[in-house]
Each structure stands twice: as structure tokens, then as C-alpha cells.
Amino acid sequence: MPSTNPAWIAPSILSADFARLGEEVKAVLEAGADTVHFDVMDNHYVPNLTIGPLVCEALRKHGITAPIDVHLMVKPVDRIIPDFAAAGASWISFHPEASEHVDRTIGLIREHGCHPGIVLNPATPLNVLDYVLDKVDMILLMSVNPGFGGQKFIPSALTKLRKTRELIAASGRNIRLQIDGGVKVDNIGEIAAAGADTFVAGSAIFGSKDYKKTIADMRAEMAKATK
């Protein structure tokens, strides 16, 4: 059941060259990307340490106007949400395991002017959505275990995507369904066919020699799979 939303390509800057991050982000957007994906890790909830609100703010000051999609892999999560909102985030997604009160965290994100999203790890059950589906604007399904870039796509994520797409359709709400982890040109078609409409890709884009060609190839594969 493909999505009716336009497909968004969301390059993860975790795989970009941080010595020239502003130029990298501008280049990938000019190559056809739709949003900028921020992987925020705290070396606590996940075993890695990445970037904070100052990087988000710096990109805005550099002239980046595209939506910035912040994926918080931090615990506790509520403390840093206002900081990212003030720094220019457009979307903020979090893991329910990192929040003491999931409903309150969703409300906090929206109160600060951002679109709220919830993130489900590969082994997190879909029933987490039972009481929040009417409150979120995005569901992010992890197709790898969070913490590191460059991992291989977990095939069971396709089944989870299909089930989540059915839940979204039944809700009648326009909720984006994002996938993150191991997304490449050779599998993005079947991922789109399973119901995803927002695709995080890090090394597949930033590790390629031609960003524009890679993104165009991804869109061509999606178009073939969702005809």
C-alpha cells in the first residue's frame, strides 16, 4: 500500500564531511534532496556521540532553509527538545523508551512549533502507537538498530512498514512514514512499495561520487515500484 504523500529524500548528515558541512548540505539539497536529517546520539541511549543544537543553528545561519528533521537518540529527551526547536528544527522525532511520559513529550514538541514524530526500533512493537497515532505527524521505523551509520537493512522492517501503513490509512490522518537504516538505490523501490514515503539515506548518498545521480536513481526506483 504505497503512500499518497510525495516522496521525500532525507540525507543523513551523519555521513557528510563535517569539515565542510554547510557546503555538503547545500550540495545535497541542490542535487534534489527534500529535507536534512539530523541523527542526534548521546553516548547513553545509544553507543555513539554525534551533534547538538549548535550544529542545527549553524546550518540555519549558513542559509539552509529546507526542513530539518531531527531524530533524537537521547535519554532523557525532554530537556533538549526546546533547544533544537530554538535552533531551527522543523520536525523532531524521539524514541518512546527515552521518555518517561510519551504523550507529554509529543505535546512538548508541538508546543515549541515543530512537527512531532515517534521512532520505533526494530524490536519495538507497533502497539506503542495505540494511544498516540492521533497526535504524531511522523512515524519513523528503524531498519537498523540505532547507534551507528552504514549498517545493513533489516528485512523484517518491510513487514512492519506494511502494517504501519495500514494503521495510518485506517486513522485517516496524513502521517508521514519514514524509514531509516540501510536505504540504498537497490532496495528503495521495495521499501516505497511497502508504504514508506520519507527515506533517510546517509552513506548511500554522501558516499557516492554524484549526489544528483544517486538521488535521481533512487526516485526512478521508487517510481517503478509504486506504479
Side-chain angles (χ1 to χ4, degrees):
M1 185 187 297
S3 171
T4 57
N5 285 323
W8 283 359
I9 302 289
S12 169
I13 64 169
L14 189 63
S15 298
D17 179 356
F18 270 70
R20 42 190 297 275
L21 184 60
E23 290 76 13
E24 284 270 78
V25 172
K26 279 187 174 179
V28 83
L29 290 168
E30 289 171 359
D34 301 284
T35 70
V36 181
H37 187 79
F38 256 61
D39 284 309
V40 182
M41 306 182 191
D42 65 354
N43 195 34
H44 175 65
Y45 177 66
V46 292
N48 205 344
L49 183 65
T50 58
I51 51 179
L54 289 178
V55 177
C56 183
E57 183 180 12
L59 285 179
R60 288 300 191 205
K61 289 180 177 178
H62 190 68
I64 301 302
T65 58
I68 292 180
D69 161 32
V70 175
H71 172 196
L72 295 178
M73 290 167 271
V74 304
K75 185 177 182 178
V77 69
D78 288 5
R79 165 61 188 84
I80 204 166
I81 286 169
D83 295 347
F84 266 104
S90 312
W91 301 71
I92 299 179
S93 300
F94 70 99
H95 293 252
E97 298 91 345
S99 170
E100 296 295 328
H101 304 282
V102 173
D103 185 81
R104 182 179 296 165
T105 302
I106 293 170
L108 182 65
I109 294 168
R110 201 176 289 283
E111 285 165 18
H112 282 82
C114 297
H115 293 283
I118 197 159
V119 189
L120 305 185
N121 286 329
T124 303
L126 289 180
N127 62 14
V128 168
L129 300 174
D130 286 352
Y131 296 97
V132 300
L133 199 61
D134 62 331
K135 299 178 176 71
V136 297
D137 293 339
M138 181 185 288
I139 299 167
L140 167 52
L141 298 186
M142 295 300 297
S143 43
V144 298
N145 287 293
F148 298 95
Q151 299 182 67
K152 290 185 178 180
F153 184 88
I154 296 174
S156 61
L158 293 172
T159 300
K160 202 170 187 180
L161 274 170
R162 295 184 190 101
K163 291 179 179 178
T164 307
R165 174 53 59 196
E166 290 172 2
L167 290 173
I168 292 172
S171 78
R173 298 189 66 240
N174 185 24
I175 302 170
R176 282 204 162 263
L177 181 51
Q178 187 176 62
I179 191 79
D180 184 357
V183 176
K184 301 181 184 300
V185 171
D186 61 7
N187 65 6
I188 198 168
E190 62 180 341
I191 294 170
D197 54 32
T198 308
F199 306 84
V200 177
S203 55
I205 293 176
F206 284 111
S208 69
K209 293 181 180 179
D210 187 335
Y211 298 165
K212 187 172 184 178
K213 181 180 185 304
T214 300
I215 291 171
D217 288 347
M218 285 180 166
R219 293 198 189 280
E221 290 299 315
M222 286 189 286
K224 285 193 292 186
T226 56
K227 278 184 179 178

